[in-house]
Amino acid sequence: MDQPYPRSPKALLGGIAHLGRFIDKIRLRHAGHIQDYNYITTGFDKYLIEFLGIDAQVFEQRVLAGGTDEELLAWVKANGKPVTDAEIRLFSRNLLKSEPKDDAARQRFRGRLQEIATKRGVPVSALPVVTTWADVIELDEGRLQP
């Protein structure tokens, strides 16, 4: 069986980038499918949690209790810090356009591309040119093809 992937960070839920993916990651991780993914304390998960002002462990338990995307979005709105539509648009835009900011991040970025190329059995030069972390995710999970 192919590995199940969480939805794209570009799939907006309530206008919020990565929220649907975070929900999927919680469900898939607890089902034993994606143990190797960055989870809660790093990357997009961390930025999302900070932006929404929610307790990650409490939200994780809420997701595992069940519910639709809309019910989970309502929970976030009721339990997180108040955010305006403009703040949501800015957060989502910034998250999806996020690029490596320093030498260490650029090295991790190149390393991720090398891992993807190795999995596909091709040189890095055969991969599409990507500059954002979101596009690295898309490439890795097969939603962005050469």
Side-chain angles (χ1 to χ4, degrees):
M1 179 175 131
D2 290 343
Q3 175 175 338
Y5 292 114
R7 74 191 93 171
S8 169
K10 296 178 181 184
L12 304 180
L13 177 55
I16 306 168
H18 191 69
L19 179 57
R21 180 178 179 82
F22 186 47
I23 291 167
D24 290 352
K25 285 173 67 177
I26 291 168
R27 290 176 175 150
L28 288 167
R29 183 177 182 89
H30 285 271
H33 296 294
I34 59 168
Q35 300 306 309
D36 60 335
Y37 274 52
N38 286 343
Y39 191 65
I40 294 183
T41 60
T42 62
F44 285 0
D45 293 359
K46 178 183 175 189
Y47 298 127
L48 177 68
I49 291 162
E50 289 172 357
F51 171 70
L52 296 174
I54 58 174
D55 180 291
Q57 283 70 37
V58 173
F59 184 63
E60 180 179 44
Q61 292 307 308
R62 174 60 189 91
V63 169
L64 294 174
T68 65
D69 283 353
E70 292 73 25
E71 290 168 334
L72 296 170
L73 176 61
W75 184 95
V76 165
K77 289 180 178 183
N79 293 278
K81 69 181 181 185
V83 291
T84 66
D85 290 343
E87 289 169 328
I88 289 171
R89 283 190 301 275
L90 181 62
F91 167 81
S92 294
R93 185 180 74 231
N94 288 344
L95 187 82
L96 296 176
K97 291 184 180 221
S98 175
E99 298 179 348
K101 302 283 189 246
D102 57 32
D103 288 337
R106 282 186 282 281
Q107 187 173 359
R108 283 192 312 277
F109 192 86
R110 287 189 298 272
R112 285 293 314 271
L113 291 176
Q114 183 59 58
E115 290 170 9
I116 295 165
T118 299
K119 280 196 293 190
R120 294 185 181 181
V122 300
V124 171
S125 61
L127 298 175
V129 175
V130 295
T131 58
T132 67
W133 289 107
D135 281 341
V136 167
I137 292 168
E138 298 294 88
L139 182 62
D140 188 30
E141 295 178 355
R143 289 183 290 268
L144 183 63
Q145 297 294 325

